[in-house]
Amino acid sequence: MEALELKKKAAVLRKNLIELIYKGGTGHTGGDLSVLNVLTTLYYHTMNVDAKNPKMENRDRFILSKGHCAEALYTILCDKGFIEQSELDAYGTFHAHLGGHPDNSIPGVEINTGALGHGLSVGVGMSLAGKLDKKDYHVYVVMGDGEQAEGSIYEAAMAANKYKLDNLVAFIDRNGLQISGSTEDVMPLESIEERWTAFGWDVKTIHGDNIEEVKAALDAVDYSNGKPHLFISRSTKGLGVSFMENVAKWHHGVPTKEQYEEAMKELDEQINAL
């Protein structure tokens, strides 16, 4: 997809996402919205995946390390045809297939995630396997910024540099907020660019709220430079819904009927403007 199409797709997915969380009665709304531009660009423009053959040998691999933002992923997997609408409709009900974190019984989900700090390590393993097997697939990992307090991430970062995993692309959804408040109050991360550069990664900072910039960044990745790649995606928690934006309490939250209607009205206006 080109940039305008991606922008339109992301706007529609935001509406679908809010509806999913409202009807399901659960969800990590703020982070879902902040990461949706990255996920939209990956699934509709960059990655080689096929809903009709989700386990094809040379598929690109995606890991949502910040697994609590499963609703954003489910919305996309349904729209792409990996899962049925009926499964999405059952979200939040007793014995529903789709849980609060992704698991690999769901078509299109590579690994179970939600225990923060594990996704990058698994991504390193998948990338190394691709190198050893002389495969040309790529591995994409999306982490949260609050997740950066987990020490296993930095062990994985060192290993990715050692093995020159240029087939690995990671994102940090840098919205600045986590469940207990500002990341800089809970566990300061800056300068996050200098930290990851020191680990030997190819580091670039992008504006995750701008889907054109996300697309351009992914299009420019050099998969032969001998370095793992990191995009620090500076984003807005709750992006697209004015009363949710940059508000920590929407890390996890379900809108009331009035809030739901207000959010849907805002999102409809954004869609119509495109």
Side-chain angles (χ1 to χ4, degrees):
M1 282 187 179
E2 293 306 311
L4 181 58
E5 294 176 285
L6 288 169
K7 200 169 185 177
K8 291 177 179 177
K9 175 61 71 173
V12 172
L13 289 170
R14 279 191 171 78
K15 186 177 176 182
N16 295 349
L17 171 62
I18 294 297
E19 183 175 19
L20 173 65
I21 291 172
Y22 174 69
K23 291 182 176 179
T26 184
H28 287 81
T29 315
D32 283 322
L33 290 168
S34 68
V35 81
L36 195 60
N37 278 353
V38 168
L39 267 60
T40 300
T41 308
L42 285 171
Y43 272 91
Y44 295 88
H45 177 70
T46 302
M47 292 198 305
N48 175 30
V49 292
D50 184 356
K52 295 179 180 177
N53 186 14
K55 291 294 185 183
M56 66 178 182
E57 184 177 358
N58 213 40
R59 70 191 180 281
D60 289 332
R61 274 69 166 166
F62 174 75
I63 299 171
L64 184 65
S65 190
K66 51 178 291 182
H68 54 284
C69 290
E71 298 84 20
L73 180 59
Y74 295 158
T75 300
I76 288 175
L77 290 178
C78 181
D79 187 66
K80 292 284 289 184
F82 285 90
I83 57 179
E84 298 293 332
Q85 181 65 45
S86 58
E87 289 195 291
L88 208 65
D89 293 340
Y91 180 65
T93 63
F94 192 55
H95 285 320
H97 184 200
L98 305 179
H101 297 93
D103 72 77
N104 63 4
S105 70
I106 301 166
V109 175
E110 298 288 343
I111 65 161
N112 299 8
T113 56
L116 295 178
H118 294 177
L120 187 62
S121 296
V122 176
V124 166
M126 289 179 175
S127 300
L128 183 56
K131 290 285 190 181
L132 293 172
D133 293 339
K134 301 188 186 308
K135 303 293 185 183
D136 59 4
Y137 65 76
H138 303 132
V139 180
Y140 300 89
V141 179
V142 171
M143 300 176 281
D145 52 0
E147 185 179 5
Q148 301 305 297
E150 301 290 346
S152 56
I153 284 177
Y154 303 104
E155 296 178 59
M158 288 188 288
N161 176 52
K162 171 180 170 56
Y163 294 110
K164 304 184 187 308
L165 299 181
D166 49 21
N167 57 344
L168 174 62
V169 179
F171 286 83
I172 297 173
D173 184 32
R174 185 70 170 114
N175 60 40
L177 294 171
Q178 58 190 100
I179 192 168
S180 46
S182 164
T183 57
E184 299 313 286
D185 291 336
V186 177
M187 184 61 68
L189 301 178
E190 297 298 343
S191 168
I192 197 167
E193 289 90 350
E194 293 177 3
R195 180 182 304 181
W196 282 84
T197 299
F199 276 110
W201 285 56
D202 173 26
V203 180
K204 293 181 175 62
T205 296
I206 60 174
H207 296 95
D209 295 351
N210 185 329
I211 205 162
E212 295 95 334
E213 191 168 330
V214 178
K215 174 185 177 294
L218 280 164
D219 286 347
V221 172
D222 181 357
Y223 293 102
S224 61
N225 70 352
K227 289 187 174 185
H229 312 278
L230 177 73
F231 291 112
I232 300 166
S233 177
R234 296 194 177 266
S235 62
T236 301
K237 197 146 192 165
L239 179 67
V241 181
S242 60
F243 60 87
M244 295 181 182
E245 290 187 350
N246 289 317
V247 178
K249 74 174 184 178
W250 284 104
H251 177 87
H252 183 284
V254 178
T256 64
K257 182 176 185 293
E258 292 75 19
Q259 288 172 327
Y260 168 72
E261 290 172 351
E262 182 180 346
M264 296 300 268
K265 180 182 177 183
E266 286 188 23
L267 293 168
D268 276 332
E269 289 172 355
Q270 293 170 28
I271 292 168
N272 292 336
L274 294 169

